[in-house]
Amino acid sequence: MTAPRIGVLALQGAFREHRQRLESLGAAVTEVRLSSDLRGLSGLILPGGESTTMARLMTEYALWEPVRAFHAAGGHLWGTCAGAILLSREVQGAPPQFGRQDSLNLLDVTVQRNAFGRQIDSFTTDLPVRGLEGEFAAVFIRAPAFTRMGDGVEVLASYGDRAVMVRSGRVTASAFHPELTPDARLHALFARQCAAPVATA
């Protein structure tokens, strides 16, 4: 089977770490900064970082509609931490000076920013994740949580009573940072999903 070509949104945040995890699995990786970079990809990762900064750069680089079109054409999406916020339909907790936070509105969830506290409250915990054997060491850094799930949204992992990884169709979102551990199993799951026929934007 031909290795899938997967993009990583490379405007800001932990995109290099995602690239390293994917390349360790043999995936072909493209850093996405322009809409033309989406051509020929079967999947796209939106990394962790600072969601308001990423949203501003998405506007500056005119990427909102191309990413929506990429998904509509069959592309798989995975957002981690800030990337998960960008995928969600409703964002709570944005700083008042920014008003309503822009998002792709491709995942029918409500996401609460900084649900587990500030940077100083960062932590790592072992989580059971649906689809993995054993637990995954999940790194939470100013992490969000999913507080409402729409119809068809499957919870893949929870921390206490809060959902921290969800999936709906070809859209997956995790509140934690899987790219910041040497465990590439979640990236492997995403790569397998992306091994379907290639989508074009």
Side-chain angles (χ1 to χ4, degrees):
M1 180 182 296
T2 303
R5 178 164 291 278
I6 299 173
V8 181
L9 186 67
L11 302 179
Q12 189 262 346
F15 59 89
R16 294 181 185 87
E17 290 83 352
H18 277 293
R19 177 170 193 155
Q20 290 165 0
R21 293 291 165 272
L22 290 168
E23 289 179 338
S24 75
L25 298 166
V29 184
T30 296
E31 292 186 1
V32 173
R33 296 180 177 89
L34 303 173
S35 60
S36 58
D37 296 330
L38 292 166
R39 296 193 189 107
L41 302 181
S42 53
L44 176 67
I45 293 177
L46 288 72
E50 211 297 308
S51 62
T52 51
T53 299
M54 291 174 71
R56 176 177 57 80
L57 291 171
M58 290 273 289
T59 299
E60 289 184 13
Y61 285 84
L63 281 169
W64 293 108
E65 289 309 316
V67 172
R68 292 186 183 105
F70 169 78
H71 174 258
H76 296 261
L77 298 174
W78 179 19
T80 64
C81 199
I85 293 170
L86 292 182
L87 289 172
S88 301
R89 174 163 296 177
E90 181 182 8
V91 181
Q92 296 179 334
Q97 64 268 30
F98 292 108
R100 181 183 179 277
Q101 183 161 341
D102 290 330
S103 73
L104 289 160
N105 191 17
L106 292 174
L107 183 62
D108 186 11
V109 298
T110 299
V111 65
Q112 174 67 48
R113 290 171 45 124
N114 300 329
F116 298 95
R118 299 175 298 168
Q119 188 94 9
I120 196 171
D121 302 310
S122 302
F123 64 96
T124 300
T125 188
D126 291 333
L127 286 181
V129 178
R130 186 170 300 178
L132 294 186
E133 291 187 9
E135 296 183 322
F136 189 90
V139 179
F140 288 80
I141 303 173
R142 294 180 61 198
F146 306 104
T147 58
R148 180 197 62 83
M149 274 64 69
D151 292 341
V153 177
E154 176 187 14
V155 176
L156 301 179
S158 298
Y159 179 69
D161 61 353
R162 289 184 277 194
V164 294
M165 186 169 183
V166 297
R167 180 174 60 209
S168 178
R170 287 175 282 104
V171 181
T172 303
S174 53
F176 51 91
H177 288 265
E179 75 282 6
L180 298 184
T181 78
D183 189 339
R185 288 179 296 160
L186 287 179
H187 288 82
L189 280 178
F190 185 67
R192 287 198 291 273
Q193 294 167 12
C194 294
V198 173
T200 55

